[in-house]
Coordinates of all heavy atoms in Angstrom, one line a residue:
M360 N -21.0 -6.8 11.6 CA -20.9 -7.5 10.5 C -20.5 -9.0 10.8 O -19.5 -9.2 11.5 CB -19.7 -6.9 9.6 CG -19.7 -7.7 8.2 SD -18.4 -7.0 7.2 CE -17.0 -7.9 7.8
F361 N -21.3 -10.0 10.2 CA -21.1 -11.4 10.5 C -21.1 -11.6 12.0 O -20.6 -12.6 12.5 CB -19.7 -11.9 9.9 CG -19.7 -11.7 8.5 CD1 -18.6 -10.9 7.9 CD2 -20.7 -12.2 7.6 CE1 -18.6 -10.7 6.5 CE2 -20.7 -11.9 6.2 CZ -19.6 -11.2 5.7
G362 N -21.7 -10.8 12.9 CA -21.8 -11.2 14.3 C -20.4 -10.8 15.0 O -20.4 -11.1 16.2
L363 N -19.6 -10.1 14.3 CA -18.3 -9.7 14.9 C -18.5 -8.3 15.6 O -19.2 -7.6 15.1 CB -17.2 -9.8 14.0 CG -16.8 -11.1 13.4 CD1 -15.7 -10.9 12.3 CD2 -16.3 -12.1 14.5
P364 N -17.7 -8.1 16.6 CA -17.7 -6.7 17.0 C -17.1 -5.7 16.1 O -16.4 -6.0 15.1 CB -16.7 -6.7 18.3 CG -16.5 -8.0 18.5 CD -16.8 -9.0 17.4
L365 N -17.5 -4.4 16.2 CA -17.1 -3.3 15.1 C -15.6 -3.3 15.0 O -15.1 -3.2 14.0 CB -17.8 -2.1 15.4 CG -17.4 -0.9 14.6 CD1 -17.9 -1.2 13.2 CD2 -18.0 0.4 15.0
S366 N -15.0 -3.3 16.1 CA -13.4 -3.2 16.1 C -12.7 -4.4 15.4 O -11.9 -4.1 14.5 CB -12.9 -3.1 17.6 OG -13.2 -4.2 18.2
T367 N -13.3 -5.6 15.6 CA -12.8 -6.7 14.8 C -13.0 -6.6 13.3 O -12.2 -6.9 12.4 CB -13.5 -7.9 15.3 OG1 -13.2 -8.1 16.7 CG2 -12.8 -9.2 14.6
S368 N -14.3 -6.2 12.9 CA -14.5 -6.0 11.5 C -13.6 -5.0 10.9 O -13.2 -5.1 9.8 CB -16.0 -5.5 11.4 OG -16.9 -6.5 12.0
L369 N -13.3 -3.8 11.8 CA -12.4 -2.8 11.1 C -11.1 -3.2 10.9 O -10.4 -3.1 9.9 CB -12.6 -1.6 12.0 CG -13.8 -0.8 12.1 CD1 -13.6 0.3 13.1 CD2 -14.1 -0.2 10.7
L370 N -10.6 -4.1 11.8 CA -9.3 -4.7 11.5 C -9.3 -5.6 10.5 O -8.3 -5.6 9.8 CB -8.8 -5.5 12.9 CG -8.4 -4.6 14.1 CD1 -8.1 -5.5 15.4 CD2 -7.2 -3.8 13.8
V371 N -10.2 -6.6 10.4 CA -10.2 -7.5 9.3 C -10.3 -7.0 8.0 O -9.7 -7.3 6.9 CB -11.4 -8.5 9.5 CG1 -11.7 -9.4 8.3 CG2 -11.2 -9.4 10.8
L372 N -11.1 -5.8 7.8 CA -11.3 -5.2 6.5 C -10.4 -4.0 6.3 O -9.9 -3.8 5.2 CB -12.8 -4.7 6.3 CG -13.8 -5.8 6.3 CD1 -15.2 -5.1 6.3 CD2 -13.7 -6.7 5.2
G373 N -10.2 -3.4 7.3 CA -9.3 -2.1 7.3 C -7.8 -2.5 6.9 O -7.2 -1.6 6.2
F374 N -7.2 -3.4 7.5 CA -5.8 -3.8 7.3 C -5.5 -4.1 5.9 O -4.5 -3.4 5.2 CB -5.3 -4.7 8.2 CG -3.9 -4.9 8.1 CD1 -2.9 -4.0 8.7 CD2 -3.3 -6.1 7.5 CE1 -1.5 -4.2 8.5 CE2 -1.9 -6.2 7.3 CZ -1.1 -5.2 7.8
P375 N -6.2 -4.9 5.2 CA -5.9 -5.2 3.8 C -6.2 -4.0 2.9 O -5.4 -3.8 2.1 CB -7.0 -6.4 3.5 CG -7.3 -7.0 4.8 CD -7.1 -6.0 5.7
L376 N -7.2 -3.2 3.2 CA -7.5 -2.1 2.4 C -6.5 -1.1 2.6 O -5.9 -0.5 1.6 CB -8.8 -1.5 2.9 CG -9.3 -0.2 2.2 CD1 -9.6 -0.7 0.7 CD2 -10.6 0.4 2.8
F377 N -5.8 -0.9 3.8 CA -4.7 0.1 4.1 C -3.5 -0.4 3.2 O -2.9 0.4 2.6 CB -4.5 0.1 5.5 CG -3.1 0.7 5.7 CD1 -2.9 2.0 5.7 CD2 -2.0 -0.1 6.1 CE1 -1.7 2.8 5.9 CE2 -0.8 0.4 6.3 CZ -0.6 1.9 6.1
W378 N -3.2 -1.7 3.2 CA -2.1 -2.2 2.6 C -2.2 -2.1 1.1 O -1.2 -1.8 0.3 CB -1.9 -3.7 3.0 CG -0.7 -4.2 2.5 CD1 -0.2 -5.0 1.6 CD2 0.7 -3.9 3.3 NE1 1.1 -5.3 1.7 CE2 1.7 -4.5 2.7 CE3 0.9 -3.1 4.4 CZ2 3.1 -4.4 2.9 CZ3 2.2 -2.9 4.8 CH2 3.3 -3.6 4.1
I379 N -3.5 -2.3 0.5 CA -3.6 -2.0 -1.0 C -3.3 -0.7 -1.4 O -2.7 -0.4 -2.3 CB -5.0 -2.6 -1.3 CG1 -5.1 -4.1 -1.3 CG2 -5.4 -2.1 -2.8 CD1 -6.5 -4.7 -1.4
L380 N -4.0 0.3 -0.5 CA -3.8 1.7 -0.8 C -2.3 2.0 -0.7 O -1.7 2.8 -1.5 CB -4.6 2.5 0.0 CG -6.1 2.4 -0.2 CD1 -6.9 3.2 0.9 CD2 -6.5 2.8 -1.6
Y381 N -1.7 1.6 0.3 CA -0.2 1.9 0.6 C 0.6 1.4 -0.6 O 1.5 2.1 -1.0 CB 0.3 1.1 1.8 CG 1.7 1.3 2.2 CD1 2.1 2.5 2.8 CD2 2.6 0.5 1.8 CE1 3.5 2.7 3.2 CE2 4.0 0.5 2.0 CZ 4.5 1.7 2.8 OH 5.7 2.0 3.0
T382 N 0.4 0.1 -1.1 CA 1.0 -0.3 -2.3 C 0.8 0.4 -3.7 O 1.8 0.7 -4.3 CB 0.6 -1.8 -2.5 OG1 1.0 -2.6 -1.3 CG2 1.4 -2.5 -3.7
I383 N -0.4 0.8 -3.8 CA -0.7 1.6 -4.9 C 0.1 2.9 -4.9 O 0.5 3.5 -5.9 CB -2.2 1.7 -5.1 CG1 -2.8 0.5 -5.5 CG2 -2.5 2.8 -6.2 CD1 -4.4 0.5 -5.5
G384 N -0.1 3.6 -3.6 CA 0.8 4.9 -3.5 C 2.2 4.7 -3.7 O 2.8 5.5 -4.3
F385 N 2.7 3.7 -3.2 CA 4.1 3.5 -3.4 C 4.6 3.3 -4.9 O 5.5 3.9 -5.4 CB 4.7 2.2 -2.6 CG 6.0 1.9 -2.7 CD1 7.0 2.5 -2.1 CD2 6.4 0.9 -3.7 CE1 8.3 2.3 -2.1 CE2 7.9 0.7 -3.8 CZ 8.7 1.2 -3.1
L386 N 3.8 2.6 -5.6 CA 4.0 2.3 -6.9 C 3.9 3.5 -7.8 O 4.7 3.8 -8.6 CB 3.1 1.2 -7.6 CG 3.3 -0.2 -7.1 CD1 2.2 -1.0 -7.6 CD2 4.7 -0.7 -7.4
L387 N 2.8 4.4 -7.5 CA 2.6 5.7 -8.2 C 3.9 6.6 -7.9 O 4.2 7.4 -8.8 CB 1.4 6.3 -7.8 CG 0.1 5.6 -8.2 CD1 -1.2 6.3 -7.7 CD2 0.1 5.6 -9.7
L388 N 4.3 6.7 -6.6 CA 5.4 7.6 -6.4 C 6.7 7.1 -6.9 O 7.6 8.0 -7.2 CB 5.5 7.6 -4.7 CG 4.4 8.4 -4.1 CD1 4.7 8.3 -2.6 CD2 4.4 10.0 -4.5
T389 N 7.0 5.9 -7.1 CA 8.3 5.3 -7.4 C 8.4 4.9 -8.9 O 9.3 4.6 -9.5 CB 8.7 4.1 -6.8 OG1 7.7 3.0 -7.0 CG2 8.8 4.3 -5.3
R390 N 7.2 5.1 -9.7 CA 7.3 4.7 -11.2 C 8.2 5.5 -12.1 O 8.6 5.2 -13.0 CB 5.9 4.6 -11.6 CG 5.2 5.9 -11.8 CD 3.7 5.9 -12.4 NE 3.0 7.2 -12.4 CZ 2.0 7.3 -12.9 NH1 1.3 6.3 -13.4 NH2 1.4 8.6 -13.0
N391 N 8.4 6.8 -11.7 CA 9.1 7.7 -12.4 C 10.5 7.9 -12.0 O 11.3 8.7 -12.5 CB 8.5 9.1 -12.5 CG 7.2 9.0 -13.2 OD1 7.0 8.3 -14.1 ND2 6.2 9.8 -12.8
W392 N 10.9 7.1 -11.0 CA 12.3 7.2 -10.5 C 13.3 6.5 -11.5 O 13.1 5.5 -12.1 CB 12.3 6.5 -9.1 CG 11.8 7.2 -8.1 CD1 11.2 8.3 -8.0 CD2 11.8 6.7 -6.7 NE1 10.8 8.8 -6.8 CE2 11.1 7.8 -6.0 CE3 12.4 5.7 -6.0 CZ2 11.0 7.8 -4.6 CZ3 12.2 5.6 -4.6 CH2 11.5 6.6 -3.9
D393 N 14.4 7.1 -11.9 CA 15.2 6.6 -12.7 C 16.2 5.8 -11.9 O 16.5 6.0 -10.7 CB 16.1 7.7 -13.3 CG 15.2 8.5 -14.3 OD1 14.4 7.8 -15.0 OD2 15.5 9.8 -14.4
N394 N 16.8 4.8 -12.5 CA 17.8 4.0 -11.8 C 19.0 4.7 -11.8 O 19.6 5.2 -12.6 CB 18.0 2.7 -12.6 CG 18.9 1.7 -11.8 OD1 19.4 2.0 -10.8 ND2 19.1 0.5 -12.4
E395 N 19.7 4.8 -10.4 CA 20.8 5.7 -10.3 C 22.0 5.1 -11.1 O 22.9 6.0 -11.3 CB 21.1 5.7 -8.8 CG 19.9 6.3 -7.9 CD 20.3 6.2 -6.4 OE1 21.5 5.8 -6.2 OE2 19.4 6.7 -5.7
G396 N 22.1 3.9 -11.5 CA 23.2 3.5 -12.2 C 23.2 3.8 -13.6 O 24.2 3.7 -14.3
D397 N 22.1 4.2 -14.2 CA 22.1 4.5 -15.5 C 22.5 5.9 -15.9 O 22.5 6.2 -17.1 CB 20.5 4.5 -15.9 CG 20.0 3.0 -15.9 OD1 20.9 2.0 -15.8 OD2 18.8 2.8 -16.0
E398 N 22.9 6.8 -15.0 CA 23.2 8.2 -15.3 C 24.7 8.3 -15.7 O 25.3 9.4 -15.8 CB 22.9 9.0 -14.2 CG 21.4 9.1 -13.8 CD 21.0 10.0 -12.7 OE1 22.1 10.4 -12.2 OE2 19.9 10.0 -12.4
R399 N 25.5 7.2 -15.6 CA 26.9 7.3 -15.8 C 27.1 7.3 -17.2 O 26.6 6.5 -18.1 CB 27.6 6.1 -15.2 CG 27.6 6.2 -13.7 CD 28.2 5.1 -13.0 NE 28.0 5.0 -11.5 CZ 28.6 4.1 -10.7 NH1 29.4 3.2 -11.2 NH2 28.3 4.2 -9.5

């Protein structure tokens, strides 16, 4: 892609994609967590 080696293309496109998926997963896992201070 764009004359770059395959490994470079995977790093350039793969890291942002991984980070976006990681963030979405984190938000989905933590959206139902209750604040620990609210239970008192």
Side-chain angles (χ1 to χ4, degrees):
M360 187 181 82
F361 304 123
L363 296 172
L365 180 60
S366 58
T367 303
S368 300
L369 289 177
L370 285 174
V371 169
L372 296 177
F374 185 75
L376 182 62
F377 164 77
W378 196 252
I379 290 170
L380 291 175
Y381 178 86
T382 303
I383 291 172
F385 178 80
L386 291 175
L387 288 176
L388 286 174
T389 59
R390 65 180 178 175
N391 292 328
W392 287 1
D393 293 325
N394 191 351
E395 296 178 1
D397 291 345
E398 298 179 356
R399 296 181 186 181

